[in-house]
């Protein structure tokens, strides 16, 4: 988002993440997006947290691995809603910051975005490799500078379950929702 601002690209943050669980985690992530948007004057759209719809779509995929069919369903659902909003509000391009994470499959994300945008002839999905040129490292640097909340799992209940299972198996503690890893600004 910072790179787009620096390039003079005007954009709107569309926050649609019905996959994020529990609600406390959802609220934390949303508040961080709002904080960024307000700081940099970026319009912010708070979409519906229709988690019942997400759970209905995820039925039968509860044990699908990270980057598997459940993730494709999740990306499709979120991009479809994003593309619909963009179409209804005159946005000709959509994109996503999901690809910045090294834990995500960039092709999987881009395929979902392209598929959603293809439903509207006037729209395109902007495929951009946000990891290129040290993008992931830059994301961490910005997160530390801004003291953003650091999520420790993808977001869904199944990712939380699987991440916790892995952590316990490797001798680490389970994820604690809401832990802030950076010192408060007044302690600097």
């Amino acid at each position: 988002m910072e790179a787009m601002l620096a390039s003079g690209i005007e954009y709107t943050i569309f926050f649609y993440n019905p996959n994020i669980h529990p609600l406390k985690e959802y609220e934390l992530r949303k508040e961080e997006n709002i904080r960024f948007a307000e700081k940099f004057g970026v319009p912010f759209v708070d979409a519906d947290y229709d988690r019942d719809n997400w759970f209905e779509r995820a039925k039968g995929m509860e044990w699908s691995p990270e980057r598997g069919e459940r993730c494709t369903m999740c990306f499709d659902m979120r991009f479809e809603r994003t593309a619909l909003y963009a179409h209804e509000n005159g946005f000709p391009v959509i994109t996503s910051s999901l690809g910045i994470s090294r834990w995500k499959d960039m092709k999987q994300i881009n395929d979902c975005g392209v598929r959603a945008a293809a439903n509207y002839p006037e729209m395109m999905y902007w495929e951009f490799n946000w990891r290129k040129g040290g993008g992931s490292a830059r994301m961490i640097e910005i997160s530390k500078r801004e003291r953003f909340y650091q999520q420790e799992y993808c977001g869904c209940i199944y990712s939380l379950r699987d991440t916790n299972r892995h952590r316990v198996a490797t001798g680490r503690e389970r994820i604690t929702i809401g832990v802030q890893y950076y010192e408060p600004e007044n302690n600097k």
Side-chain angles (χ1 to χ4, degrees), residues 42-123:
V42 176
F44 180 88
V45 175
D46 184 2
D48 186 20
Y49 182 52
D50 61 345
R51 66 181 187 175
D52 291 342
N53 185 8
W54 187 88
F55 276 111
E56 184 63 34
R57 290 183 185 210
K59 277 187 183 166
M61 295 181 255
E62 294 87 351
W63 293 100
S64 177
E66 188 76 21
R67 299 181 177 188
E69 68 177 338
R70 185 182 65 241
C71 292
T72 298
M73 173 282 299
C74 185
F75 298 149
D76 278 342
M77 178 183 179
R78 292 156 62 199
F79 277 124
E80 287 163 8
R81 183 64 185 93
T82 302
L84 175 62
Y85 180 87
H87 170 73
E88 290 173 342
N89 291 277
F91 290 90
V93 179
I94 62 172
T95 193
S96 176
S97 60
L98 285 167
I100 194 75
S101 171
R102 62 190 172 100
W103 302 109
K104 296 289 176 224
D105 179 336
M106 182 91 64
K107 181 177 178 353
Q108 182 184 36
I109 292 165
N110 286 337
D111 286 351
C112 294
V114 167
R115 199 166 34 251
N119 290 316
Y120 307 98
E122 77 285 0
M123 186 181 305

Side-chain angles (χ1 to χ4, degrees), residues 158-178:
Y158 310 115
S159 173
L160 177 59
R161 173 201 64 206
D162 296 343
T163 301
N164 276 332
R165 289 175 83 177
H166 174 74
R167 288 173 73 131
V168 168
T170 57
R172 296 177 62 202
E173 292 196 19
R174 293 176 172 272
I175 292 171
T176 303
I177 305 296

